[in-house]
Amino acid sequence: MPSKNLNPPPGLNLFPSLKPPQKTLAFHQILVLVITFLAYASFHASRKPPSIVKSVLGPNDHSNSSLTESNLNSTLLNSSSIDAGWAPFNGPRGTHWLGELDLAFLSVYSIGMYFCGHVGDRVHLRYFLVFGMIGSGIFTIMFGLGYWLGVHVLGFFLAVQVVCGLFQSVGWPCVVAIVGNWSGKEKRGLIMGLWNSHTSVGNIVGSVLASGVLEFGWGLSFVLPGVLMIVVGIVVFMFLVVSPDDLGFESPGKEIEMDAEVDSVRSSEEKVESEKAGLLETGDSDSLAAIGFFEAWRLPSVAPFAFCLFFSKLVAYTFLYWLPFYIRHTAVAGVHLSHKTAGILSTIFDMGGVLGGILAGFISDVIEARAVISIVFLLLSIPALLFYRVYGSISMFANISLMFHSGLLVNGPYSLITTAVATDLGTQTMVGGNSRALATVSAIIDGTGSIGAALGPLLAGYISTRGWNSVFLMLIISIFLASLFLIRVARTEIKAKLNEGKSFWNSIGGH
């Protein structure tokens, strides 16, 4: 009895029996990259409002200071709602509760990531992605409605964040799996680095939207990104094609399967490890079967990169959720900036992140050593954070310059691991070219990282009451630990490169 196709038609190919010309494959690849870029940028845009409104909701520890920004908007100066905060977050435990809101969202997000990745390998990805986007948009808007409804109950905001985090966890496994279906291995680091700038672009768009309407009430800072998410979700539903097979193209992933033993320097070593772990598939009968959750954990290098991302994402998300609050409560050149200016200024960190992701991807393509590049970026980010903390308040120029470099170095390895590395590991020879393992592997890596992302903002909320020096110390220790997890993988990459060099010179000597 023939197997039944459970995937619905993509909706764009009116004559599925006719294969489109191969030359149009590049057009559809670009279209998929653009649509998934917009999709995940909207996810991040909808995550940004909590960090923008933190300084409005929470206690103002310098409200009696005579220092004000020279060009402070008069509406901000006269707004008692902004100055007074929002109960229950404007009390002595306000920063703690704001940190717990982040924990509620990100803990459910990280746990949901594991399940959504597992589900994503088994359902139609376009429908699943749209489901997550519409749900995220609705609950982002619902958080903002608390402003007009006059809600001052902590439980309401916690409940909304929990449900929103669950919907948000659908996004990443879906977009990575879809992009993996359409992309080959050539220049993957550079392409993924460019594509992954959606994270920083989304943060920038969310910051500008939320900050721009903050003077009209913090509720609007949530409503606009929520509406944006729903609109982009409709675009995804109408135009996104999940796989080249849906349009009659040959999947670029098949090239990886055919050339894997030639392209992978570590293929023989990975084969031995996989045979020991009992993971190597024989034959093609199971090539389309989704890989198990624990089997994916046992794939070579998955666990080291996952735990590295735990600490790397802890640092990145601490900046994502607390940087506007930090800027607002730290005088720059002796002046405390307004809520709006602090929110917009924080986008400099994300601008640096865009360049960092592209550079990390490009360099890792050139030297073919992603773990080595990740370690270099991580170790360089330690002095960058120290300089930002010590000298960032001297002048606006120093603040912008040091913030940009910090974002470049912090987000570089975070971007590389969540995209190119996850795709490498999810399509390696150990899964027999099984592209349906990609959502599970990417969910494991980013889900583990998201646990760290949940922990970082929570710790920052508590530790900040002791001073920001303690927060930066936590970030530096986390970066150091992140680099430790990749030492063994980096050593394997270096050995492979040295052996490759020896083989080259031996071949020359033989002639």
Side-chain angles (χ1 to χ4, degrees):
M1 181 177 178
S3 59
K4 188 177 182 180
N5 184 15
L6 298 179
N7 290 338
L12 292 181
N13 188 8
L14 300 178
F15 303 98
S17 61
L18 300 177
K19 292 188 177 181
Q22 194 69 20
K23 64 181 181 180
T24 62
L25 175 62
F27 167 77
H28 287 285
Q29 287 176 317
I30 294 172
L31 184 62
V32 167
L33 287 174
V34 171
I35 293 176
T36 52
F37 181 98
L38 293 175
Y40 211 69
S42 66
F43 271 106
H44 263 266
S46 67
R47 295 178 198 173
K48 196 61 182 176
S51 68
I52 298 298
V53 304
K54 262 192 179 72
S55 58
V56 176
L57 301 179
N60 189 346
D61 60 10
H62 60 267
S63 57
N64 295 325
S65 173
S66 60
L67 296 173
T68 59
E69 185 183 2
S70 58
N71 61 345
L72 187 62
N73 187 287
S74 60
T75 304
L76 290 175
L77 285 172
N78 297 328
S79 174
S80 60
S81 62
I82 288 182
D83 293 337
W86 187 270
F89 304 109
N90 59 350
R93 290 180 53 84
T95 56
H96 296 175
W97 285 337
L98 289 171
E100 289 169 8
L101 276 185
D102 298 336
L103 176 66
F105 174 88
L106 291 168
S107 58
V108 175
Y109 172 79
S110 60
I111 295 171
M113 186 81 70
Y114 293 116
F115 293 100
C116 290
H118 196 62
V119 173
D121 282 333
R122 291 160 172 79
V123 301
H124 192 263
L125 289 171
R126 177 163 58 100
Y127 288 176
F128 196 38
L129 177 58
V130 171
F131 170 74
M133 295 184 72
I134 300 298
S136 298
I138 290 173
F139 279 89
T140 301
I141 293 172
M142 190 174 294
F143 193 104
L145 292 178
Y147 172 78
W148 290 286
L149 298 176
V151 178
H152 296 280
V153 179
L154 179 63
F156 169 81
F157 297 107
L158 285 172
V160 171
Q161 287 293 78
V162 165
V163 179
C164 190
L166 185 60
F167 279 109
Q168 287 262 344
S169 65
V170 173
W172 186 246
C174 291
V175 295
V176 171
I178 292 170
V179 171
N181 289 341
W182 283 90
S183 64
K185 192 173 182 180
E186 185 179 359
K187 296 182 180 179
R188 177 178 287 166
L190 175 60
I191 293 172
M192 287 296 196
L194 288 166
W195 176 74
N196 195 57
S197 62
H198 55 52
T199 298
S200 297
V201 171
N203 291 341
I204 293 170
V205 171
S207 297
V208 172
L209 279 178
S211 300
V213 298
L214 191 58
E215 60 189 279
F216 303 108
W218 61 260
L220 203 56
S221 297
F222 286 86
V223 171
L224 288 187
V227 171
L228 174 66
M229 169 75 83
I230 294 174
V231 171
V232 177
I234 295 172
V235 173
V236 169
F237 178 78
M238 294 177 64
F239 298 108
L240 182 63
V241 181
V242 170
S243 172
D245 297 333
D246 293 336
L247 294 178
F249 293 111
E250 182 177 315
S251 175
K254 292 181 180 179
E255 299 174 8
I256 299 173
E257 183 179 357
M258 294 171 60
D259 300 332
E261 292 190 4
V262 178
D263 294 337
S264 177
V265 177
R266 303 188 303 273
S267 60
S268 59
E269 178 184 340
E270 292 174 344
K271 183 175 180 180
V272 172
E273 293 182 14
S274 295
E275 287 176 340
K276 290 180 180 179
L279 297 175
L280 190 62
E281 297 289 339
T282 58
D284 299 327
S285 59
D286 294 328
S287 62
L288 295 179
I291 193 171
F293 177 78
F294 293 104
E295 287 179 302
W297 265 108
R298 292 157 60 193
L299 289 172
S301 301
V302 168
F305 276 108
F307 290 121
C308 170
L309 190 62
F310 174 94
F311 290 102
S312 180
K313 207 167 179 179
L314 182 152
V315 176
Y317 268 65
T318 299
F319 277 99
L320 173 66
Y321 279 90
W322 285 96
L323 184 56
F325 186 91
Y326 170 76
I327 295 173
R328 168 68 174 139
H329 290 78
T330 303
V332 178
V335 176
H336 283 289
L337 306 180
S338 70
H339 301 283
K340 180 178 180 179
T341 304
I344 294 176
L345 184 62
S346 67
T347 62
I348 300 298
F349 184 87
D350 295 299
M351 293 179 186
V354 172
L355 182 59
I358 295 172
L359 280 178
F362 174 74
I363 298 172
S364 69
D365 276 343
V366 172
I367 70 172
E368 297 180 339
R370 306 208 196 276
V372 172
I373 293 303
S374 297
I375 289 178
V376 170
F377 270 70
L378 287 167
L379 294 180
L380 288 177
S381 66
I382 292 177
L385 292 185
L386 285 173
F387 280 122
Y388 178 63
R389 173 56 185 161
V390 175
Y391 301 109
S393 59
I394 292 179
S395 67
M396 183 63 74
F397 175 80
N399 190 286
I400 292 174
S401 176
L402 294 173
M403 191 192 310
F404 181 87
H405 285 87
S406 297
L408 185 152
L409 294 168
V410 167
N411 283 349
Y414 161 45
S415 170
L416 183 64
I417 293 172
T418 55
T419 53
V421 169
T423 307
D424 287 346
L425 298 179
T427 56
Q428 59 184 298
T429 57
M430 301 305 99
V431 291
N434 178 8
S435 63
R436 299 201 72 187
L438 183 53
T440 299
V441 171
S442 62
I444 285 174
I445 292 176
D446 202 54
T448 304
S450 296
I451 297 175
L455 186 62
L458 175 69
L459 292 176
Y462 281 87
I463 297 175
S464 63
T465 58
R466 301 183 178 182
W468 288 102
N469 287 339
S470 299
V471 175
F472 275 81
L473 178 61
M474 175 196 74
L475 299 178
I476 290 170
I477 292 174
S478 299
I479 291 172
F480 179 73
L481 292 174
S483 64
L484 290 181
F485 279 102
L486 292 186
I487 288 179
R488 186 174 179 180
V489 182
R491 186 170 58 189
T492 301
E493 291 178 345
I494 293 171
K495 286 182 179 179
K497 284 296 172 185
L498 292 175
N499 291 335
E500 187 179 307
K502 289 179 181 179
S503 299
F504 173 75
W505 289 111
N506 289 337
S507 64
I508 294 179
H511 291 292

